[in-house]
Amino acid sequence: MTGNHCLRGAAPVKGQRGVGDDVDDARMSIDIDWARDQFARFLELTELYRPSDPPGTSTLRSSRANRGTQDEIVASAQVVEQILGRVLPHWRTEVPDDRNKRVNRWCQHREAVQRADVVLQRDAEIREHLGDDAPHISAATMHPWVWDGARSLWQSGHFREAVTAAARKVNAETQNRVGRREVSETALFQSVFSKEPPKPGQPRLRLMAEDNSDTFKSVHRGAMAFAEGCYAGIRNPNSHEDGLPELPEHEALEQLAAFSVLARWVAGATLSTA
């Protein structure tokens, strides 16, 4: 892609992650060819040029204009910003915006697009040549209860709070499934995954047929212990310990995955009532 007066040299974005780091997971779900086509279109629309003088006149023009109309650019930017959010999540703070007022309002976008395009291009090349076929996980593909709860905090870089929000969401949706509000978190899951038959006001969630087999007992004992581990080992420290440093993104992703497993068990279970 061609440069423009808005664009600086190829200085790296502060804190930019490379192949194999956390942001790879989000990029894996992107159609790279489509994304790069959107980038190319945006750069074409926002390219600066000096308009020609009207016929029969001659002026010394110093101002430049974008090749596309503002309506076209805004429409393109709506799509481009979504892609940038996946490839360079912190582009609004990490890509300088000082030229937006001095040169053109789209300078920051153009530089972010140029950088993101290089990231996508290089990722594809590296995977092709190194054969990077290890499985990847994306937060966006986790259970909707988890990602819906975490999304806004996650996208602003508040990873520990995002995990806590996801935990609250899973707890609330579990309460909704069994129609209970008086218990929550560990006590709630101890009740819903109990091997005991349901009682009035205490329905159970069954992960398999209730045949009283050793497998039935093991599955529900394990689900109960897993849920307790999620809330006692992840949610509680994140919520109640003051002064904890921000979670690294990859560790927060692992914690989200734990709650996603729990959410799928709850959502897919059979409700058993007395």
Side-chain angles (χ1 to χ4, degrees):
M1 295 185 181
T2 59
N4 189 267
H5 285 276
C6 283
L7 300 176
R8 305 166 189 267
V13 178
K14 178 183 178 182
Q16 180 173 314
R17 301 167 177 83
V19 174
D21 290 321
D22 310 323
V23 180
D24 275 356
D25 296 327
R27 292 201 293 262
M28 284 300 292
S29 60
I30 294 177
D31 182 330
I32 291 179
D33 290 338
W34 171 82
R36 297 194 67 214
D37 284 345
Q38 300 303 313
F39 285 167
R41 173 62 174 161
F42 180 79
L43 290 182
E44 177 185 345
L45 291 171
T46 57
E47 182 182 3
L48 294 176
Y49 77 108
R50 182 173 289 109
S52 300
D53 293 329
T57 64
S58 178
T59 61
L60 296 176
R61 292 179 179 267
S62 59
S63 61
R64 293 172 178 267
N66 298 116
R67 291 201 177 275
T69 66
Q70 286 303 301
D71 286 346
E72 290 175 325
I73 295 172
V74 168
S76 178
Q78 290 288 344
V79 177
V80 162
E81 287 173 358
Q82 298 301 311
I83 304 171
L84 290 174
R86 295 284 192 89
V87 183
L88 300 176
H90 309 297
W91 67 274
R92 290 189 183 276
T93 56
E94 292 176 346
V95 177
D97 63 357
D98 55 293
R99 298 191 181 189
N100 283 2
K101 291 183 178 180
R102 291 191 295 107
V103 181
N104 184 263
R105 62 174 290 196
W106 299 108
C107 282
Q108 183 189 32
H109 280 69
R110 284 183 60 87
E111 183 166 343
V113 163
Q114 185 189 52
R115 295 185 187 197
D117 185 65
V118 171
V119 171
L120 290 179
Q121 184 179 11
R122 296 301 296 168
D123 277 4
E125 291 174 0
I126 290 171
R127 289 195 180 95
E128 177 182 355
H129 293 294
L130 297 185
D132 180 8
D133 58 354
H136 292 259
I137 185 170
S138 168
T141 63
M142 293 184 188
H143 193 278
W145 294 350
V146 169
W147 186 230
D148 288 350
R151 184 196 306 268
S152 61
L153 287 164
W154 190 277
Q155 292 178 340
S156 61
H158 296 88
F159 303 125
R160 191 180 295 278
E161 292 181 46
V163 173
T164 299
R168 292 195 186 105
K169 178 72 170 175
V170 172
N171 178 76
E173 294 294 348
T174 304
Q175 290 177 319
N176 290 339
R177 275 227 66 189
V178 298
R180 300 188 66 182
R181 294 292 186 276
E182 78 282 6
V183 292
S184 64
E185 299 188 357
T186 297
L188 173 66
F189 288 99
Q190 286 174 340
S191 176
V192 300
F193 288 138
S194 171
K195 302 184 294 295
E196 299 298 321
K199 301 176 182 179
Q202 296 182 29
R204 311 298 187 204
L205 294 176
R206 297 310 189 201
L207 302 175
M208 60 175 291
E210 192 169 354
D211 57 6
N212 206 36
S213 65
D214 289 343
T215 300
F216 170 83
K217 295 175 182 178
S218 176
V219 164
H220 290 82
R221 183 175 65 251
M224 187 189 304
F226 183 80
E228 181 176 1
C230 286
Y231 283 91
I234 297 175
R235 186 263 197 257
N236 287 350
N238 282 348
S239 301
H240 303 311
E241 292 294 329
D242 295 331
L244 290 176
E246 182 58 81
L247 276 176
E249 189 169 357
H250 69 278
E251 289 185 20
L253 190 64
E254 292 166 358
Q255 294 185 4
L256 278 187
F259 283 101
S260 182
V261 170
L262 182 58
R264 290 193 192 281
W265 286 349
V266 172
T270 300
L271 182 65
S272 178
T273 58

